[in-house]
Amino acid sequence: TGDAKITGRVEGGFSVEANGTTYNGRRLAIASGSETVVPPVPGLKEGLASGFVVTNREVLDLKTLPKDLVVIGGGVIGLEMAYYFASVGVKVTVIEMMPKIAGATDPEICKVLQDGFVKKGMVFKLSSKVLEVKANSVVYEEAGEKKEITCDKVLLSAGRKPATAGIGLETLGLEMDRAAIVTDRHLCTTVQNVYAIGDCNGKVMLAHTAYREAEVAVNHMLGKPDEMRYDVIPAVIYTDPEVATVGLTEDECKDKGIAYRCGKAFFRANGKALCMNEPDGLCKVIADAEGKLLGCHLYGPHAADLVQEVCALISTGATVDQLKHIIHTHPTLGEVIQTAAHTM
């Protein structure tokens, strides 16, 4: 198809029309993805139309670097893009409604992440609300005071939502949770033989989640036992150093009334990190009162790779004592996880 964009639309039953051709099947898997959330901020749509405001897609097509960039939203995508632009000399200001960055990420990890960003010259306006986007500026409210900041570009990163409108889903009678298609642990919708995988079900909007959901859905179609475990999906913020997390945070344990223990270790005490001249970082390991592993939260070099060890251990119901007894090669970054376990 080259650069042509082909869209499909459900015509009723399991019939799908795409590019003038109708396809019929015995089952239907919906994987329509997600789209950028555009808040009802005056001037925002006009800014998107003019190119002054860009999303995470258009920002990758810029031919020249802006001198000043305002990022609306301090979530994962916004932080990754903001970090890159700050690294290449762009003055970056992040405006975030919440009192912390990175959404539900462990607050202690967020603090060290933000400190690292500030060292790079980034400016954060937390607990702040964007009021208006003008031709070359952003108006926002901070601590009850109306302020305005001029910039060359605005990056809209206020979240994503399931892309389920306009594709004929109303013909199926699916149960919806706003824009998200409701699914169970097998990715089944409320209509028999209809599945929804990836961002369109709104559960965990990550590529690796969608890959696994597709496997589970196909296995269910084939009658093979399988189901999703949403409690062991790792997530990463690709900055430098990286942030990686899996399982429950301390705050989530408190909210759920779970008695927990937390172990900590620092990369500055890790031989490999020192050899790499990358000593900045923190590892937190969470376990319940009986020692069953519940979560791991990392900020440091190669965090995205390190978190997989704890992800595997949580998946198998392992305990802190079992983690302590796993022999780790020395010197390796992975020793930081074992060190954290030994502090519990």
Side-chain angles (χ1 to χ4, degrees), residues 13-141:
F14 295 163
S15 295
V16 176
E17 184 276 330
N19 202 30
T21 302
T22 298
Y23 301 87
N24 296 290
R26 292 179 296 169
R27 300 179 182 88
L28 177 63
I30 303 164
S32 52
S34 61
E35 57 191 0
T36 300
V37 171
V38 181
V41 174
L44 192 54
K45 288 185 178 180
E46 290 81 359
L48 285 166
S50 69
F52 173 57
V53 180
V54 294
T55 71
N56 61 296
R57 291 185 180 275
E58 296 88 35
V59 75
L60 299 176
D61 294 327
L62 295 180
K63 303 300 182 183
T64 58
L65 290 173
K67 181 180 178 182
D68 301 280
L69 175 69
V70 169
V71 180
I72 299 177
V76 173
I77 296 175
L79 292 176
E80 289 176 342
M81 293 290 101
Y83 175 82
Y84 165 75
F85 280 99
S87 298
V88 294
V90 177
K91 182 179 179 181
V92 177
T93 301
V94 178
I95 303 176
E96 168 57 46
M97 289 186 64
M98 302 299 291
K100 62 182 280 294
I101 61 173
T105 305
D106 178 90
E108 191 171 0
I109 297 292
C110 291
K111 176 64 168 58
V112 294
L113 175 65
Q114 184 174 332
D115 288 345
F117 284 158
V118 171
K119 289 178 182 178
K120 281 192 168 290
M122 291 171 59
V123 176
F124 289 88
K125 303 294 183 181
L126 304 181
S127 301
S128 300
K129 181 181 180 181
V130 175
L131 301 176
E132 182 182 2
V133 174
K134 295 185 177 181
N136 64 345
S137 66
V138 175
V139 181
Y140 65 99
E141 182 180 323

Side-chain angles (χ1 to χ4, degrees), residues 64-343:
T64 58
L65 290 173
K67 181 180 178 182
D68 301 280
L69 175 69
V70 169
V71 180
I72 299 177
V76 173
I77 296 175
L79 292 176
E80 289 176 342
M81 293 290 101
Y83 175 82
Y84 165 75
F85 280 99
S87 298
V88 294
V90 177
K91 182 179 179 181
V92 177
T93 301
V94 178
I95 303 176
E96 168 57 46
M97 289 186 64
M98 302 299 291
K100 62 182 280 294
I101 61 173
T105 305
D106 178 90
E108 191 171 0
I109 297 292
C110 291
K111 176 64 168 58
V112 294
L113 175 65
Q114 184 174 332
D115 288 345
F117 284 158
V118 171
K119 289 178 182 178
K120 281 192 168 290
M122 291 171 59
V123 176
F124 289 88
K125 303 294 183 181
L126 304 181
S127 301
S128 300
K129 181 181 180 181
V130 175
L131 301 176
E132 182 182 2
V133 174
K134 295 185 177 181
N136 64 345
S137 66
V138 175
V139 181
Y140 65 99
E141 182 180 323
E142 182 182 27
E145 184 179 350
K146 187 176 180 180
K147 299 181 179 181
E148 186 171 354
I149 181 172
T150 59
C151 57
D152 299 320
K153 285 288 181 183
V154 174
L155 171 62
L156 175 61
S157 185
R160 298 187 66 79
K161 65 179 181 180
T164 53
I167 57 174
L169 297 187
E170 65 278 2
T171 66
L172 296 172
L174 302 172
E175 181 181 350
M176 306 288 291
D177 181 6
R178 291 185 291 184
I181 303 170
V182 174
T183 57
D184 62 15
R185 291 177 299 175
H186 307 290
L187 285 307
C188 298
T189 68
T190 52
V191 175
Q192 189 174 8
N193 291 328
V194 178
Y195 300 77
I197 60 179
D199 289 5
C200 65
N201 64 39
K203 293 186 181 296
V204 181
M205 292 186 176
L206 297 169
H208 47 278
T209 302
Y211 299 154
R212 176 65 183 136
E213 287 177 333
E215 290 179 341
V216 171
V218 170
N219 283 336
H220 189 268
M221 295 177 194
L222 299 175
K224 297 180 179 180
D226 201 359
E227 64 179 38
M228 278 297 297
R229 284 194 60 182
Y230 290 102
D231 59 325
V232 286
I233 296 176
V236 177
I237 303 175
Y238 288 101
T239 51
D240 184 16
E242 296 170 336
V243 171
T245 181
V246 67
L248 298 178
T249 64
E250 289 190 81
D251 285 351
E252 288 171 335
C253 287
K254 292 173 184 176
D255 291 342
K256 294 176 181 291
I258 299 172
Y260 72 93
R261 292 182 281 164
C262 177
K264 298 181 186 179
F266 297 89
F267 281 81
R268 61 175 176 263
N270 178 273
K272 181 67 175 289
L274 293 174
C275 290
M276 296 168 59
N277 196 30
E278 296 189 52
D280 294 335
L282 166 68
C283 172
K284 298 178 69 174
V285 174
I286 312 290
D288 65 17
E290 286 73 42
K292 184 178 178 180
L293 289 168
L294 298 177
C296 180
H297 311 281
L298 292 143
Y299 168 73
H302 298 283
D305 304 299
L306 299 178
V307 77
Q308 290 297 152
E309 176 182 9
V310 183
C311 184
L313 291 172
I314 295 175
S315 296
T316 58
T319 65
V320 171
D321 284 341
Q322 288 174 311
L323 172 56
K324 291 177 182 178
H325 298 150
I326 295 174
I327 297 173
H328 288 65
T329 307
H330 177 77
T332 57
L333 295 173
E335 290 177 288
V336 73
I337 295 175
Q338 190 177 47
T339 301
H342 276 293
T343 68

